[in-house]
Amino acid sequence: MLRFKSQQQEYKERDAQLREQISIHAGYIRVNGLNRFPVTGARVIRALQKQNIPYRLIGTNALYAYEARASSVIMPEHLATNDVDILMDARQGIRIAANLKRRTLLDVVKDSDKSFRRVSASEHEFSAANNNGYRVDFVTQGGHQLKPNEFDAILEQGDLMPVAIDSLKWHVAAPNFEAITFDDRGMPLRLRTVDPRAFVLHKWFVSQQPDRNSLKRNRDEEQARLIATLIRREMTDLSPSKAIQKIFPNFVSRQATDAMDDFDL
């Protein structure tokens, strides 16, 4: 018993020392302005990671991974968003359901913030929002948005159901891309997203769709050009990838390459 209490005290002291070190490091990150990622989104991602749910971050928040890898700082106007887009591969549906361990995606999101609620009562709702209006959107590859997809048969009724978007099949097929960034508090966060070249091509494709909201189209194109420039000037270690070329239709790759001087597969 005395040995147990002695070891317990040692563990407590060690834990206190580690927490102090983390606090010091976090303070350094904040002072130097490296605390970049929104803390609400970071907590959602950590909740998914803790549950070992396979996912990839896409959309605007993926830019934080690219800037970290490029040792650059992207201007706030390109990063402004009040949501986080989580891509879930429908082919991993069984694994996702198994790792939930009789819980729901909404349960996991609520682990990060109890105020998260489904945005609507629709049986196909894919978004949750907290009291501050921050949204978590679950998306997947597939056909028509209004038709059932693989997750409808796997996840529990009343859970968040990832919405199917056809063009996300390119993201699902793209190579993984990881980087370490820091949240608003200065705490480290591992981001898993898609290869930045796939990001550029997808954003460019979306920006050219006539039914896309004009404001979103403009932002899509700006982000495509921004990351294309970052790849060309800063991420020079990315070697030419035939994998990216095989994923996207030739017309998408050709148009994007012709339109953006800084982009080269």
Side-chain angles (χ1 to χ4, degrees), residues 144-179:
H144 199 282
Q145 295 182 6
L146 300 180
K147 292 183 179 180
N149 60 57
E150 288 84 346
F151 285 107
D152 291 295
I154 296 173
L155 299 179
E156 292 187 15
Q157 186 175 6
D159 195 4
L160 299 170
M161 296 293 173
V163 63
I165 300 175
D166 183 58
S167 64
L168 291 182
K169 61 189 177 187
W170 299 329
H171 271 346
V172 166
N176 290 325
F177 186 89
E178 292 189 354

Side-chain angles (χ1 to χ4, degrees), residues 58-252:
I58 62 171
T60 296
N61 285 291
L63 271 62
Y64 289 103
Y66 304 144
E67 72 166 15
R69 176 70 175 272
S71 299
S72 301
V73 175
I74 294 176
M75 293 296 100
E77 59 266 27
H78 297 296
L79 296 166
T81 183
N82 203 34
D83 62 17
V84 59
D85 297 322
I86 306 294
L87 173 63
M88 300 198 137
D89 186 349
R91 298 171 302 179
Q92 298 192 59
I94 298 299
R95 178 186 172 192
I96 291 171
N99 288 355
L100 283 172
K101 298 177 181 178
R102 298 184 179 180
R103 304 178 76 212
T104 65
L105 288 175
L106 182 58
D107 288 336
V108 176
V109 171
K110 287 171 72 68
D111 285 344
S112 70
D113 182 339
K114 298 297 183 184
S115 72
F116 271 109
R117 298 288 186 274
R118 286 161 51 92
V119 171
S120 78
S122 169
E123 61 179 325
H124 298 297
E125 181 55 64
F126 62 94
S127 298
N130 68 3
N131 287 346
N132 294 321
Y134 191 91
R135 285 176 52 128
V136 179
D137 296 339
F138 287 102
V139 295
T140 188
Q141 79 275 30
H144 199 282
Q145 295 182 6
L146 300 180
K147 292 183 179 180
N149 60 57
E150 288 84 346
F151 285 107
D152 291 295
I154 296 173
L155 299 179
E156 292 187 15
Q157 186 175 6
D159 195 4
L160 299 170
M161 296 293 173
V163 63
I165 300 175
D166 183 58
S167 64
L168 291 182
K169 61 189 177 187
W170 299 329
H171 271 346
V172 166
N176 290 325
F177 186 89
E178 292 189 354
I180 301 294
T181 186
F182 298 91
D183 67 21
D184 286 339
R185 301 172 303 161
M187 301 301 290
L189 176 68
R190 181 180 294 275
L191 296 180
R192 190 180 193 192
T193 182
V194 299
D195 188 291
R197 291 162 294 189
F199 178 93
V200 170
L201 288 177
H202 184 261
K203 280 290 184 179
W204 178 260
F205 171 81
V206 173
S207 75
Q208 303 305 301
Q209 302 310 299
D211 58 345
R212 181 75 162 164
N213 175 283
S214 59
L215 293 178
K216 292 183 177 181
R217 281 207 313 270
N218 291 338
R219 189 175 193 190
D220 291 332
E221 182 174 341
E222 288 175 358
Q223 290 182 345
R225 292 184 180 278
L226 172 65
I227 301 306
T229 301
L230 209 60
I231 292 170
R232 183 68 174 270
R233 298 181 182 179
E234 305 297 339
M235 288 188 271
T236 55
D237 60 311
L238 290 178
S239 58
S241 175
K242 291 184 178 180
I244 303 296
Q245 295 176 359
K246 291 179 179 179
I247 292 169
F248 289 85
N250 288 334
F251 79 90
V252 175

Side-chain angles (χ1 to χ4, degrees), residues 6-22:
S6 176
Q7 289 180 337
Q8 187 179 49
Q9 182 62 31
E10 289 178 4
Y11 292 148
K12 287 182 178 180
E13 292 175 357
R14 179 59 174 164
D15 181 69
Q17 291 173 356
L18 291 174
R19 288 180 181 275
E20 183 179 2
Q21 289 179 17
I22 291 174

